[in-house]
Amino acid sequence: MLSKDRMTDNTKTFTELFSELEHYDEDKQRKKIGETNEIIDGMNEEEFESVFTEEPFNKMHEMIEEKKMSMENAILLLKHAGYSNVLKNVWDPCFNLSSLGKKFKKMAEEEEKKEKEKNKRLLIDLCECHIFLSCSFTPELLSICVPCLLNVALNKEENEEIQKEVDLALQPLSNIKYRNFKKELFFNEIKEIIKHHQEHHNLTQLAYQSAWQFLIDRFFKDKDLEIVIVNELHLAREAARELEELMKCIDWKKKEEEMSKEEAKEEFALMRRAKTCAIYFQCCTLWNEEFVKFINSIVQVYRAAKDNHRGISDWCIYSLRNAAKNRVAKVEDLLKSGAIDAVLEEIQQSTFKDKILRKYFHFFMNISERLKEIIDDEVEEAKRKEVKKKSFEKMEENGKRRLYH
């Protein structure tokens, strides 16, 4: 845990509550875990990372082994910590390295091997905790957890409790990057989940975004699957709609530290969507008419966020830069959408750090290169037409000579 001089009010309260858990009976402990989870909600990324080191996970393992904490209560705390881990976009391997992480991995593997009396609920809980809280996974663990979570997420039963389970099963999947297993695996399942939501609107924004992030991370630079993402699942249309909806939920005059818990959640959802857009534009090139509105939505978010929410505005600039560099959007679309005007305005009004300034220069360098190509193509086309014209004139002249001789 943290030394006293580095503790904030949140980390101090969390440390005190956590250290007391082993002294309560199961019911009182569950109530105290509820209080602990409320403190976790109020933490920023730095506070969260500072308390969730190996130590508390090892301590929980010790409490479970000594019967001072039930597995149910441990999962209650871990799931909430995992959910916050995704919300706060923390990337830390401590759970993997802890004795509790190793125990959960072994339990999941043993539960999966059972042919009879398999505890499906326990397996789901173990998988959610592990994927929520981890940043690297063995192929063996993924082969257990991903099918397990997708199977939960594929449940189409219209029931409030079932829908909560569907949502929770999808959210950890955003932690699994494309390099972890073959990209073709689970394509049909995640496609079905996304299409079902588009028809029935059954998922929360975070769950829907997690499904998309899992999908895009799978299909890095795969042209065939890119066609499905763009033309069948309508990435640009869906992303534009989400960006516009989320924009309305945020008071852009407030700074990040002034936002309520609910506003912070909306801001995170917008940040994550902007980041996914940047990743898409980095690795894909397919374009259709829906991208004009998509680019315009990114520009609108950028303009709204640039004063008080630089994290969001930076991801918007990455998206625009990648779209220009990777030729997803046509130059005329970047003009129509206001992307070029927005970046010009920002350069004229602001003072930047070198890193930020380079992003803007990269954007205009890419636009400049593409305009030069267009001009070169037009010059070549003009030359081709001139040669063709002269050829016809020459042929016509030769024809007339033959006629008179």
Side-chain angles (χ1 to χ4, degrees), residues 35-143:
E35 294 177 24
T36 304
N37 287 344
E38 288 181 13
I39 300 302
I40 292 172
D41 289 341
M43 289 180 179
N44 59 33
E45 292 87 341
E46 186 177 356
E47 289 171 329
F48 185 89
E49 284 187 296
S50 69
V51 297
F52 280 102
T53 59
E54 277 187 67
E55 188 178 343
F57 295 129
N58 289 336
K59 180 62 178 176
M60 287 178 72
H61 180 233
E62 181 184 312
M63 285 192 282
I64 292 169
E65 293 297 302
E66 295 177 357
K67 310 296 183 187
K68 293 179 180 179
M69 177 179 276
S70 67
M71 183 60 69
E72 290 77 11
N73 281 357
I75 286 170
L76 183 66
L77 176 55
L78 288 169
K79 275 194 182 183
H80 197 85
Y83 174 73
S84 293
N85 184 57
V86 171
L87 275 183
K88 300 177 197 305
N89 203 28
V90 175
W91 189 250
D92 195 282
C94 292
F95 183 75
N96 299 57
L97 301 173
S98 71
S99 57
L100 185 62
K102 292 169 184 174
K103 176 183 177 67
F104 271 35
K105 178 177 178 291
K106 184 178 179 181
M107 287 177 66
E109 290 170 345
E110 289 175 350
E111 200 63 44
E112 175 63 20
K113 288 176 183 175
K114 289 181 182 178
E115 295 183 6
K116 296 180 180 179
E117 299 181 359
K118 184 180 292 189
N119 188 334
K120 291 183 180 180
R121 182 66 261 170
L122 175 61
L123 181 59
I124 292 166
D125 289 338
L126 293 169
C127 289
E128 286 177 350
C129 290
H130 219 297
I131 304 300
F132 257 141
L133 288 164
S134 301
C135 66
S136 62
F137 315 92
T138 64
E140 293 78 18
L141 188 67
L142 286 175
S143 68

Side-chain angles (χ1 to χ4, degrees), residues 201-216:
H201 307 287
N202 61 307
L203 302 175
T204 62
Q205 281 177 327
L206 288 176
Y208 187 47
Q209 285 184 0
S210 294
W212 266 110
Q213 195 163 333
F214 179 81
L215 178 67
I216 289 175

Side-chain angles (χ1 to χ4, degrees), residues 14 57 125 175 220 327 333 380:
F14 173 86
F57 295 129
D125 289 338
N175 272 358
F220 193 79
R327 301 166 184 263
D333 292 337
E380 286 300 317

